[in-house]
């Protein structure tokens, strides 16, 4: 008999297995009948009631976080943080063929786990689109709830459309160097999630280069282990000379904001401001086309780490540098300015 993976997004003829659909963040879902719903700091958990025999099943829908990574990278990072950070998994996940839903890239996989004396199956579904990542984790130590889990997976759907971030490759040469060659918004982000303690976080650095030779820089840090959001901003002028990019800041600042009570990764109230170190830096830049993800990134390199970019990235082909991905045109800027913030 063909093995059925519980994370397959297929249409099943299971009737009356879940109540009316609900919505959390970008995910629509149905709660299996008899399951409990628990609000978490950065997600919701659906779980079975205690049956007296130690059997259990649970599904966690985690709030989206900003990302500039590929769908595969997001799945791998989430597997390490959400799955291996929670239970003991000795094998690589058995992968399902990647798919798409409303333009989102869906990557999913599952593996057997142990948690003390408990053994079971854990599944991770990762959706990447619109500069965001959504995760669903399903865990069970018994086949007792298989019908409920299948009905839950069948009920999952994304409630917004994603737009491709495909960018045409533009080779850098003396003949085509100009403000338009890098005009637009570019982001460099890192996402971190720890499912075991239900903490997650991310940091995003973003440049917006305008055709008039001005730029804006934004940096946001969110961590559910902190009670504040970090916001840094900068504006100035930039110029291109061959493969050299010089940025000369004119103004900027550093701020700390409280977290929104309902959505901790959204701005609350301004708590603290401080002066910002303004650096004039000349970078070597490259517009590199990555065929594997069909994407052109803006690579910035310097001899030493900078105030804006922080520690170097981990690119073997471009040491001492950072890869900025093109922002989705429907979500520009990726970092939303705090309410009342004025661009200089």
């Amino acid at each position: 008999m063909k093995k059925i993976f519980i994370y397959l997004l297929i249409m099943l003829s299971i009737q009356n297995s879940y109540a009316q659909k609900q919505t959390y963040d970008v995910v629509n879902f149905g709660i299996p009948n008899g399951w409990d719903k628990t609000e978490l700091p950065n997600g919701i958990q659906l779980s079975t009631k205690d049956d007296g025999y130690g059997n259990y099943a649970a599904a966690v829908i985690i709030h989206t976080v900003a990302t500039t990574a590929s769908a595969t990278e997001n799945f791998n990072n989430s597997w390490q943080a959400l799955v291996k950070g929670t239970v003991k998994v000795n094998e690589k996940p058995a992968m399902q063929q990647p798919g798409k839903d409303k333009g989102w890239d869906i990557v999913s996989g599952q593996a057997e786990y142990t948690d003390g004396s408990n053994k079971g199956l854990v599944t991770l579904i990762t959706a990447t689109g619109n500069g965001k990542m959504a995760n669903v984790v399903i865990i069970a130590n018994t086949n007792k709830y298989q019908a409920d889990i299948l009905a839950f997976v069948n009920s999952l759907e994304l409630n917004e459309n994603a737009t491709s971030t495909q960018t045409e490759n533009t080779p850098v040469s003396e003949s085509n160097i100009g403000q338009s060659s890098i005009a637009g918004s570019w982001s460099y982000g890192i996402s971190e999630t720890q499912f075991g303690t239900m903490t997650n976080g991310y940091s995003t650095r973003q440049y917006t280069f305008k055709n008039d030779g001005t730029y804006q820089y934004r940096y946001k840090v969110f961590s559910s282990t902190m009670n504040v959001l970090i916001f840094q901003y900068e504006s100035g002028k930039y110029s291109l000379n061959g493969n050299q990019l010089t940025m000369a800041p004119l103004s900027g600042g550093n701020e700390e904001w409280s977290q929104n009570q309902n959505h901790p990764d959204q701005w609350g109230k301004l708590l603290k401001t401080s002066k910002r170190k303004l650096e004039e830096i000349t970078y070597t830049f490259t517009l590199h086309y990555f065929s594997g993800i069909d994407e052109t990134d803006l690579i910035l390199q310097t001899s030493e780490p900078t105030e804006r970019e922080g520690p170097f990235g981990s690119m073997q082909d471009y040491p001492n540098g950072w890869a900025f991905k093109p922002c989705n045109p429907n979500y520009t800027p990726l970092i939303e300015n705090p309410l009342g913030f004025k661009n200089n």
Side-chain angles (χ1 to χ4, degrees), residues 1-18 21 29-33 35 48 57-59 110 121 123 125 136 138-140 142-157:
M1 181 177 181
K2 185 176 179 180
K3 184 177 180 180
I4 300 177
F5 293 103
I6 64 173
Y7 59 84
L8 293 176
L9 299 179
I10 57 177
M11 297 301 295
L12 302 172
S13 58
I14 299 176
Q15 302 296 328
N16 302 320
S17 294
Y18 58 82
K21 278 195 175 183
F29 64 96
I31 302 178
N33 288 328
W35 285 41
T48 56
Q110 72 173 179
L121 200 64
T123 299
I125 304 171
V136 178
I138 306 169
I139 192 168
T142 176
N143 291 328
K144 177 180 178 180
Y145 303 106
Q146 185 179 37
D148 286 347
I149 293 173
L150 287 169
F152 166 74
V153 172
N154 183 52
S155 74
L156 292 173
E157 63 179 6

Side-chain angles (χ1 to χ4, degrees), residues 191-211:
S191 177
E192 298 177 356
T193 311
Q194 295 180 348
F195 176 68
T197 58
M198 289 313 302
T199 62
N200 60 51
Y202 60 85
S203 64
T204 303
R205 292 173 168 86
Q206 178 182 340
Y207 284 111
T208 297
F209 295 102
K210 299 183 179 181
N211 284 318

Side-chain angles (χ1 to χ4, degrees), residues 76-241:
N76 292 337
N77 292 336
S78 296
W79 184 266
Q80 290 294 323
L82 301 178
V83 177
K84 300 188 73 172
T86 308
V87 294
K88 185 177 181 180
V89 178
N90 294 323
E91 60 184 19
K92 292 183 179 181
M95 302 301 297
Q96 167 69 5
Q97 185 71 24
K100 279 188 175 292
D101 183 13
K102 297 183 179 178
W104 291 70
D105 293 310
I106 311 297
V107 181
S108 53
Q110 72 173 179
E112 294 181 350
Y113 74 89
T114 58
D115 182 13
S117 60
N118 289 312
K119 295 182 179 180
L121 200 64
V122 59
T123 299
L124 171 66
I125 304 171
T126 301
T128 301
N130 288 341
K132 295 185 285 188
M133 171 181 65
N135 283 295
V136 178
V137 180
I138 306 169
I139 192 168
N141 68 345
T142 176
N143 291 328
K144 177 180 178 180
Y145 303 106
Q146 185 179 37
D148 286 347
I149 293 173
L150 287 169
F152 166 74
V153 172
N154 183 52
S155 74
L156 292 173
E157 63 179 6
L158 293 157
N159 55 42
E160 67 177 41
N161 294 321
T163 303
S164 172
T165 58
Q166 180 177 348
T167 303
E168 183 178 347
N169 184 27
T170 307
V172 177
S173 67
E174 294 292 339
S175 61
N176 65 16
I177 283 295
Q179 313 296 41
S180 61
S181 64
I182 64 170
S185 295
W186 307 83
S187 286
Y188 172 69
I190 300 174
S191 177
E192 298 177 356
T193 311
Q194 295 180 348
F195 176 68
T197 58
M198 289 313 302
T199 62
N200 60 51
Y202 60 85
S203 64
T204 303
R205 292 173 168 86
Q206 178 182 340
Y207 284 111
T208 297
F209 295 102
K210 299 183 179 181
N211 284 318
D212 62 2
T214 62
Y215 77 89
Q216 293 179 347
Y217 168 81
R218 300 289 182 266
Y219 177 47
K220 178 181 178 181
V221 179
F222 159 69
S223 174
S224 55
T225 62
M226 305 189 326
N227 59 4
V228 297
L229 299 175
I230 303 299
F231 180 60
Q232 300 177 2
Y233 59 93
E234 191 177 289
S235 298
K237 297 182 178 180
Y238 76 97
S239 60
L240 303 178
N241 182 17

